[in-house]
Amino acid sequence: MLVSCGGQHYQVRSIEGKEIAITEAAGADANIENVIKPYRENIDKDMNVVLAFAPQTLDKSGQWQCTIGNLMADVALDFGNRVFNKRAGKSIDMCLLNFGGIRSIIPQGNVTTRTAFEVMPFENRLIVAELKGEQILEMASYIVTEKKAHPISGLTFTITNDGKPADISIKEKPVTPDQSYFVVTSDYLINGGDKMEFFKKAVKTYDIDYKLRNVLIDYFKEVDTVPVVRDVRISG
C-alpha cells in the first residue's frame, strides 16, 4: 500500500510486464557508444601487444599429452618455482594442471596478451601442495582412468597392457610412497576440482599469489619464439 503526501491511500492491484527481446534491430545507442569507445580502444591496444612468435600452432590434440599442455605445465613449473623458491626456500618437483582448463590454442603467428587471455580466461592462481608419494601414485592412476591429456611436467610414467600406471618417476627418480613432493597446480584443482581428490590430502599448501594467465604473459615476454614441446611424459 502506498500513501500520498495528501494522505490518500493507493493499493497496487496488479503488475503487468512483457518480454522485450534484445536484438540487433534495436541498434546501438550513439551516446553509450561514445562513452565506451575510448575504453574499448585502450583495452584493444593493450590486448593486441605482440609478446612472442609461435612458429607452429600449439593445441590440445594428443592422447596422453598435447603440445599446449606440455608448454603450460613446463611454464607453470618454471615460473612458479621462481616465486616459491624465494618465498619458501624450497623447490617444486612437478606440475599438474587440468585439460579442461585450457580454453583455446596458441595459433601460429604473433602471440599477444589476448592469446594468454583466450587460453586462460579464468582467474585461477598457482598453489603449491606438499603431497606424499602415495598421493602421486593416486594421481597417476587418476590420469589413466580419466584418459585425458592433463598437462604434467616433472612426472613421467608408462601404462601397462592392463591399463595400470608403472615406472612412476619424478625428475627421473622413482616415486617413494612416504616421501614428500611439492606439486604446483591451480586453486581450482587444490580443492578437488575435476575429481582430483588426492589434492585434498595435502600435508600443506602454499598460495604463491600468481595467476596462471600472468604466468603465461610473463613467459611470452621472456621468450622470442614459443617452442613446440613434444617430449613423451606418459607412454602406453
Side-chain angles (χ1 to χ4, degrees), residues 152-200:
I152 62 171
S153 181
L155 174 71
T156 58
F157 61 88
T158 59
I159 302 173
T160 62
N161 292 333
D162 58 351
K164 304 292 183 182
D167 305 318
I168 304 169
S169 299
I170 289 181
K171 294 182 177 178
E172 301 182 351
K173 294 182 180 180
V175 171
T176 303
D178 293 332
Q179 184 175 335
S180 289
Y181 299 91
F182 292 101
V183 182
V184 66
T185 187
S186 72
D187 59 329
Y188 169 66
L189 299 179
I190 203 70
N191 293 312
D194 268 8
K195 299 182 289 187
M196 295 191 186
E197 299 294 326
F198 42 83
F199 277 124
K200 291 184 177 181

Side-chain angles (χ1 to χ4, degrees), residues 79-211:
F79 279 68
N81 195 49
R82 298 182 191 186
V83 177
F84 185 62
N85 188 264
K86 287 181 179 179
R87 295 184 182 178
K90 301 172 184 178
S91 297
I92 299 172
D93 296 296
M94 63 158 288
C95 173
L96 172 65
L97 302 174
N98 63 316
F99 183 76
I102 305 172
R103 308 306 286 191
S104 184
I105 63 173
I106 298 176
Q108 180 181 22
N110 288 334
V111 177
T112 64
T113 303
R114 188 184 303 278
T115 306
F117 273 80
E118 291 172 344
V119 172
M120 181 50 61
F122 313 114
E123 297 299 307
N124 294 127
R125 63 188 188 279
L126 294 183
I127 304 289
V128 178
E130 181 180 350
L131 298 179
K132 290 293 184 181
E134 183 178 352
Q135 277 69 64
I136 304 299
L137 302 180
E138 292 178 24
M139 181 188 298
S141 296
Y142 163 87
I143 292 172
V144 174
T145 301
E146 286 290 298
K147 294 182 172 60
K148 293 179 182 177
H150 291 300
I152 62 171
S153 181
L155 174 71
T156 58
F157 61 88
T158 59
I159 302 173
T160 62
N161 292 333
D162 58 351
K164 304 292 183 182
D167 305 318
I168 304 169
S169 299
I170 289 181
K171 294 182 177 178
E172 301 182 351
K173 294 182 180 180
V175 171
T176 303
D178 293 332
Q179 184 175 335
S180 289
Y181 299 91
F182 292 101
V183 182
V184 66
T185 187
S186 72
D187 59 329
Y188 169 66
L189 299 179
I190 203 70
N191 293 312
D194 268 8
K195 299 182 289 187
M196 295 191 186
E197 299 294 326
F198 42 83
F199 277 124
K200 291 184 177 181
K201 302 175 184 178
V203 177
K204 189 175 181 180
T205 59
Y206 304 79
D207 187 344
I208 59 176
D209 194 26
Y210 200 174
K211 290 182 180 179

